[in-house]
Amino acid sequence: MPANTITRADLCEAIYEEIGLSRNDSAKLVESVLAEICDALVGGENVKISSFGSLMLRSKGERTGRNPKTGEAVPISPRRVLVFRPSNILKDRLNQPDASPAEPRPSRTSYSPG
Amino acid sequence: MTKSELIARLAERHPDLRAKIFERIVTTLFEEISDALERGDRVELRGFGAFSVKDREPRIGRNPRTGATVQVSRKRVPYFKTGKELRERLNPDQGG
């Protein structure tokens, strides 16, 4: 079964149903939450949402990469990247015995114990 | 920035709304995202980023301290990919 994709519209609908604001206000507030998180990250702050996880900034130094098409070496400038560190609560929620199991991937080399 | 700081900043930005409502909004939002990931769904927020679930195959791990081998079972891990707009804002001097 292919995974569904949840978008802003679904989050707005959840806020609308849960909080009882108008659809218009719900949409604005979802946007406002995301904007506040973005601003914090751009300003150099890590963002930690308890029971969900943290978005952590990592600074990467300059390195040499390659254009995969031409094989040409190109310098990759130093940059800031984001890493998501899920909380233990979220990790556990994804691996409960009753949660939908991880997709079996029979095409890959199957592991046989022992 | 912690969850409570996020709530405080939102309340400051929206003085027209009762401060208490932001606790519920932020909680509902992340609960909705967690629920989606639990179902194995992907959460795509343009400009911000996308949360998805990746499957990790079972593997033989090692306790780095003792060197003992341990069976690590198959598991699902959440993954975040930064959206284009946010990535560009984090690195304003670069072309992308």
Side-chain angles (χ1 to χ4, degrees):
Chain A
M1 186 185 75
N4 292 316
T5 298
I6 303 302
T7 64
R8 274 180 172 72
D10 301 295
L11 298 182
C12 296
E13 192 63 22
I15 298 293
Y16 168 73
E17 282 171 14
E18 195 71 28
I19 315 291
L21 293 162
S22 71
R23 279 206 163 79
N24 194 23
D25 284 347
S26 302
K28 277 186 190 151
L29 287 167
V30 168
E31 224 42 62
S32 200
V33 174
L34 295 177
E36 211 65 59
I37 295 172
C38 286
D39 288 353
L41 293 166
V42 170
E45 289 179 88
N46 291 330
V47 175
K48 185 177 174 180
I49 307 295
S50 60
S51 85
F52 181 72
S54 306
L55 285 168
M56 321 271 282
L57 287 157
R58 286 270 168 83
S59 292
K60 298 270 190 180
E62 174 161 334
R63 65 194 170 93
T64 304
R66 271 182 197 284
N67 180 329
K69 212 168 274 181
T70 64
E72 183 188 6
V74 279
I76 296 175
S77 48
R79 63 190 60 223
R80 294 193 297 175
V81 298
L82 280 179
V83 182
F84 176 58
R85 289 201 50 198
S87 71
N88 286 330
I89 294 174
L90 181 60
K91 281 197 265 187
D92 289 348
R93 280 184 64 174
L94 263 56
N95 292 285
Q96 293 163 51
D98 58 329
S100 63
E103 285 282 300
R105 288 187 286 187
S107 58
R108 298 276 287 271
T109 47
S110 58
Y111 168 73
S112 49
Chain B
M1 179 172 75
T2 62
K3 181 177 168 181
S4 49
E5 285 165 347
L6 170 62
I7 291 164
R9 289 182 203 186
L10 285 162
E12 212 170 295
R13 193 156 296 211
H14 298 275
D16 49 318
L17 286 166
R18 295 212 335 277
K20 257 204 127 162
I21 211 167
F22 294 102
E23 159 81 46
R24 291 171 62 207
I25 289 171
V26 172
T27 300
T28 303
L29 211 56
F30 285 101
E31 185 53 32
E32 206 63 23
I33 296 173
S34 301
D35 283 349
L37 295 174
E38 201 177 319
R39 293 192 301 267
D41 290 347
R42 178 185 157 81
V43 181
E44 192 176 301
L45 304 165
R46 289 280 160 88
F48 181 76
F51 292 94
S52 57
V53 179
K54 293 202 169 181
D55 294 333
R56 294 269 181 268
E57 295 287 306
R59 62 186 170 87
I60 304 285
R62 260 179 199 281
N63 180 326
R65 193 180 299 236
T66 64
T69 59
V70 279
Q71 172 67 48
V72 181
S73 52
R74 180 191 302 279
K75 63 180 169 189
R76 305 196 304 164
V77 293
Y79 172 77
F80 177 75
K81 186 177 181 214
T82 313
K84 185 161 181 273
E85 194 191 313
L86 179 54
R87 199 167 59 230
E88 287 170 357
R89 281 185 65 197
L90 289 169
N91 299 286
D93 303 332
Q94 280 143 31

